[in-house]
Amino acid sequence: MRIRRKKNIDSRTQALFNEIIKVDTSIKNVTEANKNKAYIDVEKIFQREGALYIEIGCGKGGFIKKLSQIHPENNYIAIEMIQNVIIMAGEAVRNANISNVKFLNIGAEYLPRYIKDESVSGIYLNFSPPFPQKSYECRRLTNADFVERYLTVLKNGGFIEQKTDDRDFFEYSFEMFKKCGLKVENLTENLANDSENIITEYESKFLQQGLPIYKLRAIKE
Ligand code: SAH
């Protein structure tokens, strides 16, 4: 049973050859990997120029699918470490004939290995796991190491936009962005009233539970 399921995942991944960018993931040590550059040729992959935006932890892809349709002039790379999940996102984008979104099946910690320094206009972080225990801080996608990686790939003036339902994680991230020299603006404590907001899969569950959604934008100056 397990083998059959895996086979299915592999064939679905192969069918997404146009959506999922093939990269060499053989170097597992993060520091080592990020020193050994294997930059993606973004213009070749999208077959055009365009501002590049990245989503980290795209899940099933609902957010990036909508955002890319609102902004057909931009190029988007959505990152997700779980293969079964990224397949669903890839299939959704392929079925909608969207050509300005590509996917990377990697852990976000490897971002600087594949994305050129100072080439990204904005990074979206939607409902990343908050990892409340202090001992798991190393996994939070807004800890100092992650923010430094984002700063490496961001252009000056580029942004990190974060949404979460977790107040402690939100405050932690806010402090971390400031500590790393970003300018934090557009703080929102309850997104429910924002008509331009693109609701993600996780967000819609939290909204149904009546939870407030927090959002901020941090700028690299
Ligand atoms: N953004 C989606 C999914 C949120 S769940 C939504 O709002 O509906 C968080 C997602 O982040 C999960 O799919 C998880 O696999 C992914 N994720 C967590 N840590 C990651 C990492 N280090 N690199 C890449 N993806 C990660």
Side-chain angles (χ1 to χ4, degrees), residues 25 27-37 54-57 79-82 104-115 125 129 131 138-150 152-153:
T25 55
I27 308 176
K28 303 297 175 201
N29 178 283
V30 178
T31 314
E32 204 53 37
N34 287 340
K35 265 193 267 170
N36 281 274
K37 301 298 181 188
I54 289 184
E55 187 187 11
I56 311 260
I79 291 176
E80 171 55 57
M81 66 180 184
I82 300 180
L104 258 182
N105 185 196
I106 59 162
E109 47 277 31
Y110 298 103
L111 193 63
R113 171 161 159 80
Y114 304 107
I115 304 293
L125 281 167
F131 293 115
C138 58
R139 297 200 197 168
R140 289 183 203 150
L141 289 179
T142 56
N143 71 30
D145 290 340
F146 273 104
V147 176
E148 286 305 328
R149 292 171 192 133
Y150 305 149
T152 302
V153 301

Side-chain angles (χ1 to χ4, degrees), residues 106-179:
I106 59 162
E109 47 277 31
Y110 298 103
L111 193 63
R113 171 161 159 80
Y114 304 107
I115 304 293
K116 276 195 195 115
D117 292 5
E118 310 205 350
S119 67
V120 176
S121 299
I123 293 177
Y124 296 92
L125 281 167
N126 293 318
F127 303 89
S128 313
F131 293 115
Q133 307 95 314
K134 181 74 188 152
S135 55
Y136 283 129
E137 189 192 345
C138 58
R139 297 200 197 168
R140 289 183 203 150
L141 289 179
T142 56
N143 71 30
D145 290 340
F146 273 104
V147 176
E148 286 305 328
R149 292 171 192 133
Y150 305 149
L151 285 171
T152 302
V153 301
L154 273 178
K155 292 180 172 180
N156 283 342
F159 65 80
I160 302 171
E161 201 173 280
Q162 184 189 18
K163 289 199 280 182
T164 179
D165 64 306
D166 190 301
R167 189 166 182 110
D168 290 342
F169 182 45
F170 186 64
E171 285 174 4
Y172 168 86
S173 306
F174 172 77
E175 293 302 332
M176 196 56 80
F177 292 138
K178 277 203 303 189
K179 211 163 127 185

Side-chain angles (χ1 to χ4, degrees), residues 36-219:
N36 281 274
K37 301 298 181 188
Y39 289 146
I40 291 167
D41 187 340
V42 174
E43 272 182 33
K44 189 172 162 205
I45 277 166
F46 289 99
Q47 296 181 342
R48 62 169 197 178
E49 292 181 4
L52 178 64
Y53 294 83
I54 289 184
E55 187 187 11
I56 311 260
C58 68
K60 295 180 190 166
F63 174 82
I64 208 70
K65 186 178 161 208
K66 286 191 205 118
L67 182 64
S68 63
Q69 287 174 313
I70 296 171
H71 290 289
E73 72 282 11
N74 293 336
N75 294 328
Y76 295 93
I77 293 181
I79 291 176
E80 171 55 57
M81 66 180 184
I82 300 180
Q83 194 183 0
N84 319 4
V85 175
I86 208 168
I87 292 172
M88 289 188 256
E91 288 172 349
V93 158
R94 187 183 55 181
N95 293 342
N97 277 318
I98 294 170
S99 61
N100 61 331
V101 181
K102 304 292 172 192
F103 295 91
L104 258 182
N105 185 196
I106 59 162
E109 47 277 31
Y110 298 103
L111 193 63
R113 171 161 159 80
Y114 304 107
I115 304 293
K116 276 195 195 115
D117 292 5
E118 310 205 350
S119 67
V120 176
S121 299
I123 293 177
Y124 296 92
L125 281 167
N126 293 318
F127 303 89
S128 313
F131 293 115
Q133 307 95 314
K134 181 74 188 152
S135 55
Y136 283 129
E137 189 192 345
C138 58
R139 297 200 197 168
R140 289 183 203 150
L141 289 179
T142 56
N143 71 30
D145 290 340
F146 273 104
V147 176
E148 286 305 328
R149 292 171 192 133
Y150 305 149
L151 285 171
T152 302
V153 301
L154 273 178
K155 292 180 172 180
N156 283 342
F159 65 80
I160 302 171
E161 201 173 280
Q162 184 189 18
K163 289 199 280 182
T164 179
D165 64 306
D166 190 301
R167 189 166 182 110
D168 290 342
F169 182 45
F170 186 64
E171 285 174 4
Y172 168 86
S173 306
F174 172 77
E175 293 302 332
M176 196 56 80
F177 292 138
K178 277 203 303 189
K179 211 163 127 185
C180 294
L182 289 122
K183 186 178 144 211
V184 181
E185 56 182 40
N186 294 354
L187 271 174
T188 315
E189 301 238 333
N190 192 348
L191 255 193
N193 305 322
D194 181 345
S195 60
E196 285 181 17
N197 180 38
I198 299 175
I199 297 172
T200 78
E201 283 90 355
Y202 270 55
E203 188 169 359
S204 105
K205 283 189 215 158
F206 296 136
L207 285 171
Q208 276 166 28
Q209 293 166 27
L211 293 171
I213 306 295
Y214 304 97
K215 178 179 166 182
L216 63 76
R217 187 179 265 235
I219 313 285

